Every structure is written in C-alpha cells, then in structure tokens.
Amino acid sequence: MVSKQEINNLLRENPPRVNLLRFLQNQHWVKERRKDGRFPNCSGTVLFILSEDFSALPKYVPPEFLAKFIEESGWVESRRNGSILWLRADKRENDHFAIYLGQINGRDIIFHQPNYGDGITFGICDLSEDRKWGYEVKFYSAPDFIKNYNKV
C-alpha cells in the first residue's frame, strides 16, 4: 500500500504538480458532461494537466489525436517524473494515457482516469501485467507545457 504522505512527496518532485493539485481540488471536472454530450477521457485529462491554459475544462480528446500529437510534436521518449505513460494498444482508440509520477518502493505510480466518465485516481502501474495484456508501454516527456489547450 502507498501512503498519502508518499504520494505528496512524489507530487512535490513533479513538474506538473501545480496543475495536478488544482485538478485534485476540482475532481468534479471529469464527471461533468460537456456541451458536446461527452465526458472528459484519459487523453483529455492528461492534456489538461500538462497545459498552461486553465480557461477551459478537461474534455474528450480522441486517443488517436493525442497519439499523433505526441509523435509529431517533438516529445522525447523518456521515463521521468511528470512524463506521459502511453499504453499503446493494437487499435489506437483503445490506447490509455496517464501521468507518470515516479516510483515508491520500486512501484510505478501514475495519476489517471481509469475509465471514460470515471473520476481520477492515483494508481500503481504493473508494467509487466500491461505488456502481458498486449500493450506496448511508452513514456514521453513534453518539451514544455502545452500552451493552447483550447485549440486541441
């Protein structure tokens, strides 16, 4: 089990910590349906947390869009605190995204929205289990915060 204090220590070491903390104070954001009738999803939540733009709320962003955005935006494949964890599936619409926070006692800790329409949570990511289920596991670090979330 991972303690709240251990999570707080990890948050202090993460580049998107201010956005993560703000998001934690407003968890209802991911449970509210948007004007287009959809709830925010994991890729929209990740983009929102890595954004400098809080004028909009988290939204639904197709996973294939975030995948293309990462591949074409100069993101570096790198596993460090604050990176995006990308679980790549055979079909892009089944990809999953999370914020990698780092390790506690050898366990990989992530912040994510496990299912569409669900809340956000901290979790332990078992990479060997994810690979067993057929996911390709990648970590990417953004060159900088995303400037215009509204335009995504």
Side-chain angles (χ1 to χ4, degrees):
M1 190 72 175
V2 177
S3 74
K4 190 174 183 176
Q5 184 59 46
E6 289 173 313
I7 293 289
N8 286 333
N9 292 340
L10 264 187
L11 286 177
R12 275 190 231 113
E13 301 167 7
N14 271 277
R17 72 182 162 276
V18 172
N19 294 359
L20 281 166
L21 292 172
R22 185 165 182 222
F23 202 84
L24 285 170
Q25 294 168 352
N26 295 283
Q27 292 190 35
H28 61 277
W29 285 344
V30 294
K31 295 182 179 182
E32 296 171 352
R33 196 177 298 273
R34 300 294 172 256
K35 289 180 185 176
D36 65 2
R38 296 194 273 190
F39 292 98
N41 62 344
C42 64
S43 44
T45 298
V46 163
L47 277 175
F48 183 77
I49 289 169
L50 294 177
S51 170
E52 286 184 340
D53 181 6
F54 275 108
S55 62
L57 291 173
K59 59 187 171 186
Y60 180 89
V61 173
E64 57 271 20
F65 176 85
L66 181 53
K68 186 176 179 181
F69 182 78
I70 290 171
E71 292 171 341
E72 295 178 357
S73 296
W75 289 41
V76 178
E77 192 168 339
S78 168
R79 181 180 180 171
R80 62 180 189 228
N81 296 3
S83 297
I84 286 182
L85 167 64
W86 179 4
L87 298 175
R88 295 176 67 168
D90 290 338
K91 294 182 179 182
R92 282 284 162 93
E93 64 268 14
N94 295 330
D95 287 0
H96 184 64
F97 296 93
I99 303 290
Y100 177 72
L101 298 177
Q103 288 193 339
I104 296 175
N105 300 325
R107 296 171 160 168
D108 293 301
I109 308 298
I110 60 173
F111 181 79
H112 69 134
Q113 183 179 1
N115 298 300
Y116 174 73
D118 280 355
I120 50 178
T121 189
F122 294 97
I124 296 170
C125 183
D126 183 345
L127 301 178
S128 60
E129 186 71 17
D130 292 323
R131 288 185 179 101
K132 186 175 94 177
W133 286 101
Y135 285 104
E136 179 183 358
V137 179
K138 298 277 189 173
F139 294 87
Y140 287 92
S141 296
D144 200 357
F145 280 100
I146 300 158
K147 302 280 185 213
N148 295 307
Y149 178 77
N150 268 334
K151 295 182 180 176
V152 173

